[in-house]
Amino acid sequence: MGKPTGFMDYERKTGRALEPKERIRHFHEFHIPLSREEQQKQGARCMDCGVPFCQAGIQIAGMVSGCPLHNLIPEWNDLVSSGNWEQAYNRLKKTNNFPEFTSRVCPALCEAACTCGHYGDAVTTKENEYGIIEFAYKQGLAGPKPPRVRTGKRIAVIGSGPAGLAAADQLNKRGHHVTVYERDDRIGGLLMYGIPNMKLEKSVIERKVTVMRQEGVEFITNTDVGRDLKAAKLLKDYDRIVLACGAKNPRDIKAPGRDAKGIYFAVDYLSEVTKHMLDTDQREPKFAAVKGKHVVVVGGGDTGNDCVGTCIRLGAASVTQLEMMPKAPDTRAADNPWPEWPKVCKTDYGQEEAAAVFGHDPRVYQTTVKEFLKDKNGSLAGIRTVRMENRRDEKTGRMTLTEAAGSEKKIPADVALIAAGFLGSEKYAADAFGVRLDGRTNVQPKDGTYETDAARVFACGDMRRGQSLVVWAIREGREVAVEVDRSLMGYTYMTVQ
């Protein structure tokens, strides 16, 4: 424990975010970190609990409490507090391949389970993690460390999202030859094209990929395995295959008028905006230009929020976000006690920016699309919405969302972005390798493992578990690496923690 009374002596303090009207002028990260000295005080707030829920990553009431990576949080908080940043980095890297990603995009399950947060304010674990990894890069500690011995075994990883990258990183460190195949033109998967630049600068991804490349990982882009490249060739050329193709099969909205021009899936839109800016250094993409237009985002999750922030930066005349579920309470309900994940209303950066620009929160709760309205040219001209109510089904006794009579409204819409989540993986890659899928098109591995029923083929990440968080993807990449190594060598000394 850095300071036994630290949680009483120091108040929680986080880095400053640029004001909404200032940060919407650009697509760069907008958080200004604390000084190293102040960050050390924040590390001293950690209580070094006897039962550190922050690193537990366990299921409580159907929700995960604490970090799925089991990061050694009290240990490196203590090291931060004493100014031993190098050793803090060594402890952090034992469990997390990519703290430069998680310290930016993770929702901080660790902080939600922090004991300090039970009656007061949680330790700034996420910002401490950011401070550690950025210190490591500045001091040259995070540079390439190629393995001294190679095994001669060859592994192909299909997909370069966080799961694929974690698997590749672990297996390469073990000494295997690893090649990562990516169908897009840049490495990173949804980290690169699904998360906007203001949440994760693409130079951060490229920085880590450069290190991995110098350590011996080979990256091949613009290659769509299962279409451009046959599975049979990979099975011939490599000893093992790891499928980490993600879960990019979007959930659609089946409403009249869905064929109107101007309706797009959210991740397609976000990907096109990011790619356009990286390729041209210009903000306005030709795909779904929103400047001066009324935009409706259908979906209230993180992707929906990213669409709100992106459209504001691109000059939308208005942005409305439809959310089917009721507004969550502002504080924990009695049936949602600590250390469960807090089911409370979260106002994210995009909603803050919309409130600053348009004068109100963009979210409309308990509302969904009844009909997409078209003009004479077949373009989107508006959306007819309907309010949803919780009612008890007379036959089953269950509470279900049903349309409220007389609640239909028409709202202006020139562009609609569907951010309703994902149903599973795009099955063509799995079909190419003969891998069995479940009803949601997620890979169905052998019980309790990452090995599929196709010989020498493994699967991990969203493709295996369905849409999830970056921390879960990294954990799955680390776990599949252990199984692959054992299957190749007959034993393994690799560990997940």
Side-chain angles (χ1 to χ4, degrees):
M1 185 185 301
K3 186 177 182 182
T5 59
F7 68 98
M8 296 185 292
D9 295 341
Y10 305 127
E11 293 183 356
R12 176 185 168 100
K13 184 180 291 187
T14 60
R16 182 175 69 89
L18 297 179
E19 291 300 316
K21 287 189 177 181
E22 181 179 355
R23 68 196 192 217
I24 62 172
R25 297 173 184 170
H26 57 76
F27 275 83
H28 299 300
E29 291 182 10
F30 52 82
H31 289 96
I32 301 172
L34 297 173
S35 68
R36 193 175 301 171
E37 293 72 24
E38 183 57 48
Q39 203 74 64
Q40 289 177 200
K41 288 183 181 179
Q42 295 305 309
R45 295 188 68 244
C46 181
M47 300 168 66
D48 192 18
C49 307
V51 180
F53 285 95
C54 59
Q55 67 184 51
I58 56 176
Q59 289 273 348
I60 301 178
M63 298 173 290
V64 175
S65 178
C67 180
L69 288 171
H70 306 308
N71 284 334
L72 306 173
I73 294 168
E75 293 186 32
W76 44 259
N77 274 337
D78 174 48
L79 292 163
V80 165
S81 72
S82 63
N84 194 342
W85 291 85
E86 180 174 352
Q87 186 60 23
Y89 169 70
N90 292 335
R91 301 306 287 166
L92 174 58
K93 286 294 289 182
K94 283 187 71 68
T95 57
N96 188 351
N97 298 73
F98 310 119
E100 56 269 86
F101 304 157
T102 54
S103 64
R104 287 170 164 86
V105 303
C106 182
L109 283 72
C110 52
E111 294 188 20
C114 176
T115 304
C116 278
H118 188 11
Y119 291 108
D121 295 321
V123 174
T124 58
T125 300
K126 184 175 175 179
E127 292 204 25
N128 293 352
E129 181 182 48
Y130 177 93
I132 293 169
I133 186 60
E134 292 307 312
F135 170 87
Y137 273 106
K138 288 177 183 177
Q139 298 300 315
L141 303 174
K145 300 176 181 64
R148 295 180 180 179
V149 178
R150 289 289 180 182
T151 64
K153 304 295 185 181
R154 292 170 52 81
I155 301 160
V157 176
I158 319 302
S160 70
L165 289 179
D169 194 36
Q170 291 292 95
L171 291 165
N172 179 67
K173 284 179 166 58
R174 174 66 172 90
H176 304 308
H177 291 279
V178 182
T179 302
V180 178
Y181 289 88
E182 169 58 52
R183 67 181 177 181
D184 286 328
D185 60 342
R186 291 179 174 88
I187 296 297
L190 286 182
L191 292 171
M192 176 60 71
Y193 284 134
I195 298 176
N197 211 57
M198 51 275 196
K199 282 177 69 172
L200 178 61
E201 294 266 12
K202 304 317 166 190
S203 59
V204 174
I205 303 170
E206 292 165 349
R207 179 178 64 178
K208 181 59 183 177
V209 170
T210 297
V211 170
M212 292 178 65
R213 186 175 281 116
Q214 292 171 343
E215 290 177 333
V217 178
E218 182 182 3
F219 294 98
I220 298 176
T221 57
N222 293 309
T223 302
D224 196 348
V225 173
R227 289 175 175 160
D228 301 335
L229 184 59
K230 300 297 183 184
K233 177 167 176 54
L234 292 180
L235 288 166
K236 179 182 177 182
D237 293 345
Y238 294 92
D239 298 295
R240 296 293 183 273
I241 307 293
V242 177
L243 299 178
C245 306
K248 208 179 175 184
N249 184 21
R251 180 180 286 110
D252 206 346
I253 294 176
K254 297 179 180 179
R258 174 61 182 85
D259 59 341
K261 301 172 188 175
I263 304 175
Y264 309 93
F265 288 116
V267 170
D268 292 342
Y269 173 73
L270 293 173
S271 298
E272 187 67 21
V273 170
T274 298
K275 179 171 171 52
H276 180 84
M277 288 191 298
L278 291 174
D279 288 347
T280 67
D281 290 329
Q282 296 177 5
R283 296 179 63 170
E284 189 70 36
K286 295 179 181 178
F287 174 91
V290 300
K291 187 173 183 178
K293 296 183 178 181
H294 300 289
V295 179
V296 174
V297 179
V298 185
D302 288 341
T303 302
N305 171 73
D306 290 339
C307 288
V308 172
T310 297
C311 290
I312 289 173
R313 282 164 174 77
L314 295 177
S318 70
V319 182
T320 303
Q321 188 176 13
L322 304 182
E323 188 162 348
M324 184 178 289
M325 301 304 294
K327 180 181 179 295
D330 293 324
T331 58
R332 284 184 185 268
D335 61 353
N336 178 216
W338 177 90
E340 291 180 6
W341 172 258
K343 294 183 285 187
V344 297
C345 183
K346 173 187 175 185
T347 299
D348 213 328
Y349 75 95
Q351 286 118 18
E352 289 178 353
E353 292 160 3
V357 173
F358 303 121
H360 59 85
D361 193 307
R363 289 170 288 190
V364 181
Y365 295 97
Q366 290 183 252
T367 301
T368 191
V369 176
K370 179 75 172 180
E371 181 182 4
F372 294 104
L373 305 174
K374 296 184 284 188
D375 63 18
K376 61 182 181 180
N377 297 316
S379 297
L380 185 67
I383 293 179
R384 194 181 309 281
T385 66
V386 64
R387 182 172 173 79
M388 307 299 289
E389 291 182 340
N390 258 321
R391 293 181 181 174
R392 190 175 301 279
D393 188 285
E394 295 180 358
K395 295 182 179 179
T396 64
R398 296 177 180 176
M399 297 297 291
T400 59
L401 282 172
T402 57
E403 295 183 6
S407 64
E408 293 184 14
K409 291 182 179 180
K410 179 183 175 181
I411 60 175
D414 304 304
V415 174
L417 303 176
I418 299 175
F422 298 87
L423 296 173
S425 64
E426 296 170 282
K427 64 191 295 288
Y428 71 90
D431 289 346
F433 287 94
V435 172
R436 186 161 46 101
L437 302 176
D438 63 18
R440 293 173 60 85
T441 69
N442 295 325
V443 171
Q444 210 165 10
K446 296 179 180 177
D447 291 342
T449 72
Y450 291 83
E451 187 176 4
T452 73
D453 50 5
R456 299 186 288 124
V457 179
F458 295 74
C460 66
D462 288 1
M463 189 176 190
R464 174 183 175 271
R465 68 180 294 119
Q467 182 191 15
S468 192
L469 301 173
V470 170
V471 281
W472 276 113
I474 296 172
R475 174 167 170 175
E476 293 233 336
R478 293 173 66 88
E479 289 184 339
V480 76
V482 173
E483 289 193 13
V484 169
D485 183 52
R486 184 181 292 113
S487 75
L488 283 168
M489 308 302 289
Y491 68 96
T492 186
Y493 55 73
M494 294 176 64
T495 60
V496 178
Q497 284 84 41

